[in-house]
Amino acid sequence: MKRKAANKQELEQKLERIWEYMRSGRHQGHWGMDMDHWDWVPGVGVISLLEYGTVAGKGEVIEYLLHWVGRNKQQAEGVRVINSLAPYAVFPELYRLTGDPWYLSTAQEIAGWILESAPRTREGALEHTVTEAVEFPEQVWADTVYMAVLFLARLAGLTGDRELAAAAVQQTLLHLRLLQDPATGLLFHGWNSGAGSHMSAARWARANAWVTLAVPEIVAGTGSLTAVPQELYNRYRRLASALRQAQGAGGLWHTVLDRPDYYGETSASAGIACGFLKAVKSGLLENSYLESVEVALAKILPLIREDGEVQGVSGGTPVMPSIEAYNRIERYPAVYGQGLVMQLLTEALNLGDMKDRLERQGFQEQREQGEQKGYPERQGHQGQQEHPVRQESQRRQGQSKGEAPLNVEGEAGG
């Protein structure tokens, strides 16, 4: 049965409410929702607002971002850790929009620090460092791909810098190699290079979301500047396939992906679904992944309250001491949860048009293939060709037959 795309007007209304909730001054001093500090939490927020503002043509959102940078840039001075790099991902586009050379020079300075001075593990992967007074020596976290590597790819795309592009691809592939579970294809939250282990070995949902969401853009921004190894594509597609299989029956992904008895988590689900959308749009994934997107979107929309608050978002989460500890993470409103849902809804604004275009394209390819081979067109119900998404679903169905919780308020986690 063909699933009806989300109503565009409803998405626009939800986006407006999320945006109003994010910019409200009443959140000041509340770690999860306070926009006015320089770290990964508001960083994910401003990345999301930039996408919303540009796609939806919201000039007031872009103005807010420019004022946000002006208000908070002094907090960034002297802070050189992975988590504090997330806000810089908006600098390349703000430079394009304003022509202000400060955005470009600052971004290039930060990129220079990443290439030359940022701590690395023995494998050469960026060590995950945080603003809080805690260290994770020689630890690799999936979060880094979104918080830092995405910025490198965006700056490379702006400047045409091949060295930055190569570094972004190298770091992405390193993280996939170190974090991907060979048995399932899912990603572990972290890797301890010194111990040679994945620590608690949790296949944490939001870790998988950061990578699923970032890779399509990293590849798109760097592919014309440097070679992207086939291994990276293969690993990403294996990850996506594993995530599709792990999607919960209700539409959300569970906070630990292979634990269906654990709660479904909103921010990770939005990030994974948005990553699928971006990957289908770019041709990185096949069209059938839109089925998973629509199921997740239908479940997420009711979790947006009338005032714009996104519910069901887990708090900041470092690599936890046990898998069980992930299920005890408190859930509360957070900028990154608002932002990841905002990104999904923004990408979904044109989902109906996208599906129609892909369907027409699929029909055309089928006709051309049939004409080349001398085959008659395959007919589905009511004399129409079978939908390519449904065909893929049927193909997959045929193949399948044969310890104490941490206080995470302000915690150094993603």
Side-chain angles (χ1 to χ4, degrees), residues 127-150:
E127 179 183 295
H128 193 79
T129 50
V130 299
T131 52
E132 291 84 356
V134 60
E135 294 183 354
F136 304 100
E138 285 222 78
Q139 287 191 19
V140 178
W141 293 13
D143 313 46
T144 299
V145 176
Y146 193 85
M147 308 307 167
V149 182
L150 178 61

Side-chain angles (χ1 to χ4, degrees), residues 367 369-377:
R367 280 195 294 269
Q369 291 169 4
E371 290 168 1
Q372 290 169 3
K373 296 178 180 179
Y375 296 156
E377 292 182 4

Side-chain angles (χ1 to χ4, degrees), residues 245-310:
Q245 295 175 46
Q247 187 171 15
L252 298 183
W253 279 268
H254 301 277
T255 193
V256 176
L257 293 166
D258 53 349
R259 291 299 302 264
D261 53 325
Y262 285 14
Y263 64 83
E265 204 279 324
T266 308
S267 66
S269 299
I272 292 167
C274 188
F276 282 0
L277 252 180
K278 288 176 178 286
V280 171
K281 182 187 291 186
S282 67
L284 191 55
L285 292 178
E286 58 195 21
N287 305 348
S288 60
Y289 280 86
L290 295 180
E291 292 181 355
S292 291
V293 173
E294 291 182 302
V295 171
L297 183 60
K299 182 64 176 179
I300 289 170
L301 287 174
L303 298 176
I304 304 168
R305 295 192 342 176
E306 284 297 312
D307 64 356
E309 178 188 301
V310 174

